[in-house]
């Protein structure tokens, strides 16, 4: 299994496997990094953490896909279609897991500002669903207080609310609090 992870890696980008696309999703990179870390293989994960952290925007948007050549997918400034909102929490989880397994406090401290920015980004998204409209409209009430619709549910269009995003946001909040301590 570890050999396949390392063979499928493209420079610093940990990829989900040999498929018909050449992209790196942060969800796969973050989860797969744990397998490497558990086996004491931390150098590829450190390189991944550094490269991915460089792509987290100052406003906290964490790209969910890294395209060929190491460029992030574009952020849709005009809506939620074509976006995924699990990446903010996955980024925070990645930093926490890296710290837990390596004890590399310098790296955790270096990226703590990005961790907090990612959590603030997700919090701003969540605020979009905490309005009176979502609180009071029976059709919208099930979505009150959760993250907006996205395409995190594996390519279904149009965008739908995905509890996967909310899970990763909650995980990110927990891991962020841990890192803050």
């Amino acid at each position: 299994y570890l050999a396949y992870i390392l063979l499928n890696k493209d420079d610093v980008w940990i990829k989900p496997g040999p498929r018909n696309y050449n992209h790196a999703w942060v969800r796969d990179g973050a989860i797969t990094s744990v397998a490497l870390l558990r086996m004491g293989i931390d150098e590829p994960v450190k390189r991944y953490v550094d490269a991915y952290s460089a792509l987290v925007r100052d406003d906290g948007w964490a790209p969910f896909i890294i395209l060929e050549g190491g460029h992030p997918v574009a952020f849709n400034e005009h809506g939620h279609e074509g976006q995924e909102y699990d990446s903010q929490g996955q980024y925070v989880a990645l930093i926490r897991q890296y710290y837990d397994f390596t004890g590399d406090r310098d790296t955790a401290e270096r990226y703590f500002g990005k961790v907090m920015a990612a959590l603030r980004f997700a919090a701003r998204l969540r605020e979009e669903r905490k309005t009176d409209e979502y609180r009071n409209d029976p059709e919208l009430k099930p979505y009150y207080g959760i993250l907006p619709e996205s395409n995190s549910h594996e390519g279904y269009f149009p965008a739908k609310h995905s509890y996967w995003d909310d899970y990763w946001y909650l995980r990110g909040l927990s891991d962020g609090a841990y890192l803050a301590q």
Side-chain angles (χ1 to χ4, degrees):
Y1 178 73
L2 293 172
Y4 284 114
I5 292 172
L6 295 172
L7 283 170
N8 287 311
K9 211 169 64 55
D10 186 7
D11 190 26
V12 299
W13 303 112
I14 297 171
K15 296 188 173 184
R19 299 185 186 178
N20 60 355
Y21 52 80
N22 195 23
H23 307 313
W25 271 258
V26 66
R27 73 176 137 248
D28 301 308
I31 294 168
T32 304
S33 289
V34 175
L36 293 170
L37 291 167
R38 285 183 181 205
M39 298 307 294
I41 303 172
D42 60 335
E43 179 57 29
V45 178
K46 173 70 164 81
R47 292 180 66 221
Y48 179 75
V49 163
D50 289 341
Y52 187 83
S53 293
L55 300 176
V56 176
R57 293 188 339 187
D58 290 342
D59 70 355
W61 180 73
F64 52 96
I65 298 176
I66 309 304
L67 304 172
E68 298 87 42
H71 305 290
V73 68
F75 178 67
N76 180 1
E77 301 283 349
H78 305 292
H80 302 294
E81 193 67 61
Q83 295 302 297
E84 297 183 17
Y85 299 127
D86 52 352
S87 52
Q88 284 68 36
Q90 290 160 348
Y91 171 66
V92 177
L94 170 66
I95 300 299
R96 195 260 169 97
Q97 291 296 312
Y98 178 77
Y99 174 71
D100 279 353
F101 281 97
T102 66
D104 182 352
R105 185 180 179 110
D106 290 339
T107 296
E109 288 178 351
R110 180 177 325 116
Y111 298 129
F112 186 71
K114 297 228 180 205
V115 162
M116 294 305 297
L119 293 173
R120 284 191 297 272
F121 184 90
R124 286 189 304 274
L125 287 172
R126 186 170 173 253
E127 288 299 316
E128 294 179 19
R129 299 298 177 262
K130 290 179 68 182
T131 65
D132 286 341
E133 179 184 17
Y134 279 86
R135 181 190 330 260
N136 299 323
D137 184 330
E139 296 286 321
L140 298 176
K141 194 169 188 161
Y143 308 112
Y144 178 80
I146 66 173
L147 292 173
E149 58 276 4
S150 77
N151 301 110
S152 295
H153 40 75
E154 297 308 317
Y156 296 112
F157 290 87
K160 303 276 186 212
H161 288 88
S162 175
Y163 292 120
W164 173 262
D165 292 344
D166 298 289
Y167 164 78
W168 281 105
Y169 176 49
L170 290 171
R171 170 69 191 259
L173 287 172
S174 175
D175 289 345
Y178 174 86
L179 290 166
Q181 293 173 349

